[in-house]
Amino acid sequence: SEKKINFGNSSNFSFLLPAKYSLELIKILESQEDPEEEITATIDQNQILFTGKNFQYLSLLTSGTFPEYKNIIPDSFASQTSVNLKDAVETIRSSVLFSSRLNEIFIFADKDKQNLEIKAVNADLGEYSAKLPAKIQGEALNLTFNCKYLLEGLENFKSQEILLKFAGETKPLLIFSPDDPQSPLYLLMPMRNY
């Protein structure tokens, strides 16, 4: 995933941090007392040094360039759903116990009832089904996702509401927070419905 950060008046530049180091840097930045504190980034050929008032963090850089992902983000969407993040995460976590060995869960967007149904089926353990209140616009859709990948994406958001934009039953799902201009974008492909 990509996270954009405003570096003030400095010239534009980009770099790739390994995921492990970027997660650690995010924790350091979030723990700072002043969220508006100025941070200095010094880049060398294969490393970067972040310096703040109370910290210095040195990281290796990943060689290469970030893949041109914007081409795979859909331009149009068949349906969009606004849902409470905390409720969605709790419901999907509960469904994990009942998902199959492929970790699949089924999501039904019911426009008429304005709810999102999450369902998981396991031949040995039984079935799980829960409905979340949602604001749904567009087509009613039935999709299958890997619940672990979906949870991994949702756990990176901090807002109360998230927006799920469905491009279609075989096209990517785009997740972001409409209230947060710095929100990450999470793109997830559905599994095939059988």
Side-chain angles (χ1 to χ4, degrees), residues 117-151:
E117 183 177 3
I118 313 268
K119 190 174 185 177
V121 179
N122 184 305
D124 297 327
L125 300 174
E127 187 175 301
Y128 173 86
S129 179
K131 294 181 181 178
L132 297 170
K135 297 174 194 151
I136 300 171
Q137 298 173 350
E139 299 174 17
L141 293 172
N142 298 327
L143 298 138
T144 305
F145 290 98
N146 180 305
C147 57
K148 292 191 177 183
Y149 295 151
L150 184 55
L151 263 180

Side-chain angles (χ1 to χ4, degrees), residues 1-7 15 17 22 26 29-30 66 69 156-158 180-185:
S1 90
E2 176 186 65
K3 175 78 172 168
K4 292 187 178 186
I5 299 172
N6 183 6
F7 279 102
F15 54 88
L17 283 179
S22 61
I26 289 169
L29 295 175
E30 288 177 343
F66 199 74
Y69 66 91
N156 286 296
F157 292 92
K158 296 182 178 25
D180 180 6
Q182 294 292 320
S183 171
L185 297 178

Side-chain angles (χ1 to χ4, degrees), residues 14-181:
S14 65
F15 54 88
L16 284 177
L17 283 179
K20 175 179 145 183
Y21 297 115
S22 61
L23 292 173
E24 195 168 319
L25 177 62
I26 289 169
K27 288 178 186 175
I28 291 169
L29 295 175
E30 288 177 343
S31 71
Q32 297 303 303
E33 291 177 16
D34 180 9
E36 300 298 318
E37 176 186 340
E38 192 168 304
I39 307 296
T40 303
T42 307
I43 298 179
D44 194 356
Q45 185 175 354
N46 60 354
Q47 58 189 9
I48 186 166
L49 174 67
F50 295 95
T51 307
K53 182 179 171 185
N54 298 319
F55 76 93
Q56 284 191 327
Y57 183 73
L58 182 66
S59 170
L60 294 174
L61 293 175
T62 301
S63 62
T65 58
F66 199 74
E68 194 54 50
Y69 66 91
K70 291 181 181 171
N71 297 336
I72 62 170
I73 295 176
D75 294 330
S76 61
F77 296 91
S79 180
Q80 74 176 29
T81 302
S82 177
V83 67
N84 180 281
L85 174 62
K86 183 180 175 189
D87 293 345
V89 168
E90 287 175 3
T91 302
I92 294 168
R93 271 197 189 122
S94 298
S95 72
V96 170
L97 300 171
F98 293 91
S99 64
S100 70
R101 63 179 177 79
L102 298 175
N103 296 318
E104 62 188 2
I105 59 168
F106 306 97
I107 297 180
F108 306 101
D110 190 337
K111 182 181 175 184
D112 296 331
K113 294 180 182 174
Q114 289 294 296
N115 66 36
L116 201 63
E117 183 177 3
I118 313 268
K119 190 174 185 177
V121 179
N122 184 305
D124 297 327
L125 300 174
E127 187 175 301
Y128 173 86
S129 179
K131 294 181 181 178
L132 297 170
K135 297 174 194 151
I136 300 171
Q137 298 173 350
E139 299 174 17
L141 293 172
N142 298 327
L143 298 138
T144 305
F145 290 98
N146 180 305
C147 57
K148 292 191 177 183
Y149 295 151
L150 184 55
L151 263 180
E152 184 178 289
L154 293 176
E155 289 171 343
N156 286 296
F157 292 92
K158 296 182 178 25
S159 61
Q160 284 190 320
E161 296 283 318
I162 53 165
L163 194 61
L164 309 171
K165 292 182 109 177
F166 301 96
E169 293 191 358
T170 59
K171 296 180 181 169
L173 163 66
L174 179 65
I175 305 172
F176 66 96
S177 171
D179 303 328
D180 180 6

